[in-house]
Amino acid sequence: MDVKIEAGWKEILKNEFTKDYFQQITAFLKTEKAQGKIIYPPGPLIFNAFDKTPFDNIKAVILGQDPYHGPGQAHGLCFSVPDGVPPPPSLVNIYKELNTDIGMRIPGTGNLTKWAERGVFLLNAVLTVRANEPASHSKIGWMEFTDNVIKKISSGKEGVVFLLWGRFAHDKQQLIDETRHHVLKAAHPSPFSADKGFFGCRHFSKTNHLLSQSGIDPIDWSVS
């Protein structure tokens, strides 16, 4: 398949797109579509995180697990929802921590596109999901693809801050060269775990402190 993705990423990942596992992802998605299955996010938004945050612009990486599986929620940026869709519980908790950490007012929108445009790479480890079936595409090959994306960032850039929330994200630490990059770990912002170490982590101010130390402009964490 001709992958529609930002030109810089397309060049960096061109070898991945020709590998057998990626061809299998493509075949799987085509089969699901032919069977009438609804897949989120819509096709043009599967690589939205890459399109909104070119490789050269990455300052920080936030890693999610799986796209939202309800109608109209997923748009290819982890934890984010389009304008007009109520912020899901994990994002509500992210906003609470932002308020506590840097005093940011709780936004009315759950759309994190502005973060992506300012260098926050909002990557889900799995890039598609079947409607109303969480983790339904978690074993079709996406993990191999996104693990390789993380490795490319680790080897090709310096001074990136990786925000790893929850055990699933913590397992990705092994892919990151910590002599070149910074890793911040906390509990997941889900209501089930946010009070076990996400609240109070201060990852947003810590990220900006680490970037400033490296001579990189800090991130504006507002969403408008």
Side-chain angles (χ1 to χ4, degrees):
M1 118 173 133
D2 178 34
V3 177
K4 291 178 173 55
I5 189 172
E6 187 270 332
W9 275 114
K10 191 166 191 176
E11 178 63 24
I12 287 162
L13 297 171
K14 62 183 178 184
N15 292 337
E16 298 303 315
F17 298 137
T18 63
K19 290 180 180 175
D20 287 346
Y21 83 85
F22 198 88
Q23 302 305 315
Q24 288 164 11
I25 293 172
T26 304
F28 181 93
L29 294 176
K30 283 181 176 172
T31 300
E32 292 246 299
K33 226 171 175 186
Q35 292 171 347
K37 303 278 173 57
I38 297 171
I39 296 169
Y40 299 135
L45 294 176
I46 290 173
F47 295 103
N48 195 24
F50 300 81
D51 294 336
K52 292 290 188 289
T53 314
F55 187 84
D56 290 347
N57 293 1
I58 296 173
K59 297 180 178 183
V61 176
I62 297 178
L63 189 68
Q65 190 164 350
D66 200 36
Y68 296 123
H69 54 86
Q73 289 183 304
H75 66 147
L77 306 176
C78 73
F79 294 107
S80 179
V81 289
D83 289 328
V85 177
S90 291
L91 183 54
V92 169
N93 286 337
I94 289 169
Y95 284 167
K96 286 178 182 175
E97 178 59 24
L98 269 161
N99 176 259
T100 305
D101 184 9
I102 62 171
M104 189 184 94
R105 288 175 57 188
I106 305 290
T109 179
N111 191 335
L112 303 180
T113 298
K114 292 294 185 190
W115 286 10
E117 291 171 348
R118 295 173 192 146
V120 184
F121 187 46
L122 298 169
L123 178 67
N124 273 318
V126 177
L127 297 186
T128 57
V129 69
R130 202 178 300 133
N132 305 314
E133 294 184 47
S136 48
H137 289 180
S138 62
K139 294 186 169 63
I140 70 169
W142 281 128
M143 298 268 206
E144 184 172 351
F145 176 72
T146 55
D147 279 359
N148 287 333
V149 168
I150 293 168
K151 289 177 188 173
K152 298 273 190 195
I153 297 169
S154 179
S155 62
K157 292 189 69 71
E158 298 231 4
V160 173
V161 183
F162 288 83
L163 287 71
L164 307 182
W165 298 335
R167 190 172 302 150
F168 175 85
H170 295 176
D171 288 345
K172 305 297 182 181
Q173 185 172 5
Q174 62 185 330
L175 306 173
I176 302 160
D177 181 349
E178 292 184 65
T179 67
R180 298 164 63 94
H181 303 284
H182 310 284
V183 172
L184 299 176
K185 296 197 306 187
H188 195 277
S190 148
F192 301 108
S193 54
D195 59 356
K196 297 186 177 112
F198 179 75
F199 290 140
C201 71
R202 307 205 60 165
H203 276 188
F204 306 100
S205 59
K206 287 177 179 175
T207 295
N208 280 349
H209 177 69
L210 290 166
L211 291 172
S212 296
Q213 279 188 322
S214 301
I216 299 168
D217 287 338
I219 293 159
D220 172 3
W221 290 108
S222 66
V223 299
S224 56

